[in-house]
Amino acid sequence: MYAFWISALLLVMLTPDLTAQVSGEMPDPTRQQTYTLHRSSSREATGANADARTVTPGQTLTVLDVDGPGMISHIWFTLDDSETYALKRIVLRMYWDGETTPSVETPIGDFFGLGNGVYYHWESLMLSAGGDKALNSYFPMPYAHHARITITDEGKLPLSHLYWNIDYRVNAEPLPPDTLYFHAEYRQAQPNHGWTGNWYENGDPIVNYKRNADGKDNFEWFEAKGHGQFVGVTLSVLQNQDGWWGEGNDMFKIDGDTPSIVGTGGEDYFLGAWGYGGPQDYLLHGAPVVGKELAGERSSMYRFHFDSPIPFTKTMTASMEHGHANHRSDNFYSVAYWYQSEPHLAFPPLPDVDQRIPTLQFVGGPGNAKGPYDPNSLHPR
């Protein structure tokens, strides 16, 4: 891990554009800093060693409530919850400057790239998760007047052990008026609705000759109005069908209705190749979980654009096809991360907690015994 952070620090120091983006996260240690560092933690108030908190079903616990100006520089959580798929049932929300609708709303596991609801180890410049259930974020999160972070247990059992340390800086001077605020939004499709179940492999001619120039029916990561910049996404997949899930292209509509950035495939966007060949994690991209190309298998990927955040001045929609021209019907779970001015577009409601649990769907197609799939129904014919 020491080598990882040395590499990250060198990347920031040697890349001017990147320094402009994350200078608040990694200050120059040769310059005297003017902020004061503070921490919100789950520590027992009297100094005893009972540092865990319990969150009962339906309860919302505030883990940070501070005035600004300031900036959250690091978040660490670990939780022990005996309920199956607790990472999908516990919801993380963040609010800036007294807003009533959150700028961050996502199951806690998905925020840290664990979109299939189980722990695995991975590390990047901005996020990491340990096999020991340690969850870390290094996204800089500024606020001019106030910051509030909450944890809600939407499960049926108590979250019996929640620990946190949230490091934040208190600034002596106001934030610059053009400061952009951190946002993160969860989306899912369980399943994506492929336009046919009558195909035998991804290379089927009825699939290969289909066109999708405008991104219609793509799986959307997020939609924003205002001005800001997109900085990344984590995506997890539960395959409902055999074959490679990642033939779909990424598409970005920036300040208009026509895609202005279009990629060449799933693993290509996440900067892998040829179906990855195995798990990998790097500073800004990776695929920590790579399943077999079979129904029931799971994969997880991430990409961060801190080398070149993708700006928008009015609107942005980021999406990915589910299979070439959207022919596949796999399950997708994503969190998009971006910075923008406030106010932001209200997020769609979170799916009901039971609908967030990764579950194999009967959609037809290769490896799925209940086909063919009717794209106009949630159920097979």
Side-chain angles (χ1 to χ4, degrees), residues 181-204:
Y181 287 74
F182 177 74
H183 294 74
E185 178 184 353
Y186 174 78
R187 296 281 186 99
Q188 73 171 50
Q190 185 165 262
N192 283 296
H193 298 306
W195 53 268
T196 180
N198 296 317
W199 54 279
Y200 63 91
E201 65 176 7
N202 286 335
D204 191 316

Side-chain angles (χ1 to χ4, degrees), residues 127-150:
L127 295 171
S128 68
D132 58 357
K133 301 182 179 181
L135 307 173
N136 286 278
S137 166
Y138 291 92
F139 282 108
M141 304 177 186
Y143 49 95
H145 306 293
H146 191 262
R148 181 165 63 98
I149 300 179
T150 66

Side-chain angles (χ1 to χ4, degrees), residues 9 65 106 191:
L9 185 59
D65 191 346
T106 166

Side-chain angles (χ1 to χ4, degrees), residues 6-276:
I6 290 294
S7 299
L9 185 59
L10 286 173
L11 176 66
V12 171
M13 297 174 95
L14 296 176
T15 309
D17 289 342
L18 183 58
T19 303
Q21 286 301 316
V22 298
S23 59
E25 181 210 356
M26 294 182 181
D28 183 350
T30 70
R31 302 291 183 181
Q32 181 63 50
Q33 302 303 312
T34 59
Y35 61 79
T36 59
L37 189 65
H38 301 262
R39 175 175 295 170
S40 170
S41 74
S42 57
R43 73 179 183 91
E44 209 282 326
T46 67
N49 195 35
D51 291 330
R53 302 290 182 89
T54 297
V55 187
T56 58
Q59 179 187 359
T60 294
L61 178 68
T62 298
V63 298
L64 179 74
D65 191 346
V66 295
D67 291 327
M71 190 193 73
I72 298 164
S73 57
H74 170 247
I75 297 173
W76 169 85
F77 284 114
T78 188
L79 53 95
D80 183 23
D81 190 316
S82 60
E83 192 166 8
T84 304
Y85 289 115
L87 290 170
K88 304 290 281 190
R89 303 177 193 274
I90 307 302
V91 177
L92 173 67
R93 294 182 175 91
M94 303 183 191
Y95 304 82
W96 313 128
D97 294 349
E99 63 186 353
T100 57
T101 59
S103 288
V104 173
E105 185 176 49
T106 166
I108 194 168
D110 291 81
F111 182 86
F112 292 96
L114 307 179
N116 275 310
V118 294
Y119 287 97
Y120 53 83
H121 169 265
W122 72 285
E123 56 187 74
S124 71
L125 182 63
M126 309 314 300
L127 295 171
S128 68
D132 58 357
K133 301 182 179 181
L135 307 173
N136 286 278
S137 166
Y138 291 92
F139 282 108
M141 304 177 186
Y143 49 95
H145 306 293
H146 191 262
R148 181 165 63 98
I149 300 179
T150 66
I151 294 290
T152 302
D153 183 356
E154 295 189 356
K156 296 180 175 64
L157 299 177
L159 167 52
S160 58
H161 294 83
L162 173 67
Y163 297 84
W164 73 85
N165 284 306
I166 301 174
D167 296 319
Y168 61 97
R169 304 169 189 168
V170 175
N171 299 328
E173 300 294 332
L175 295 183
D178 58 351
T179 298
L180 301 180
Y181 287 74
F182 177 74
H183 294 74
E185 178 184 353
Y186 174 78
R187 296 281 186 99
Q188 73 171 50
Q190 185 165 262
N192 283 296
H193 298 306
W195 53 268
T196 180
N198 296 317
W199 54 279
Y200 63 91
E201 65 176 7
N202 286 335
D204 191 316
I206 69 168
V207 172
N208 271 356
Y209 290 102
K210 188 79 169 179
R211 302 293 191 267
N212 179 33
D214 60 1
K216 184 177 184 294
D217 297 326
N218 284 10
F219 175 76
E220 289 190 357
W221 296 332
F222 90 118
E223 179 184 7
K225 291 185 178 180
H227 71 89
Q229 45 215 9
F230 177 81
V231 295
V233 65
T234 56
L235 174 68
S236 293
V237 177
L238 171 57
Q239 289 191 215
N240 292 317
Q241 297 165 322
D242 290 350
W244 176 236
W245 66 268
E247 290 297 329
N249 298 338
D250 58 289
M251 298 185 185
F252 292 85
K253 296 179 181 178
I254 303 169
D255 298 333
D257 296 327
T258 301
S260 55
I261 298 175
V262 181
T264 56
E267 78 269 44
D268 306 349
Y269 170 74
F270 292 104
L271 304 183
W274 304 109
Y276 299 112

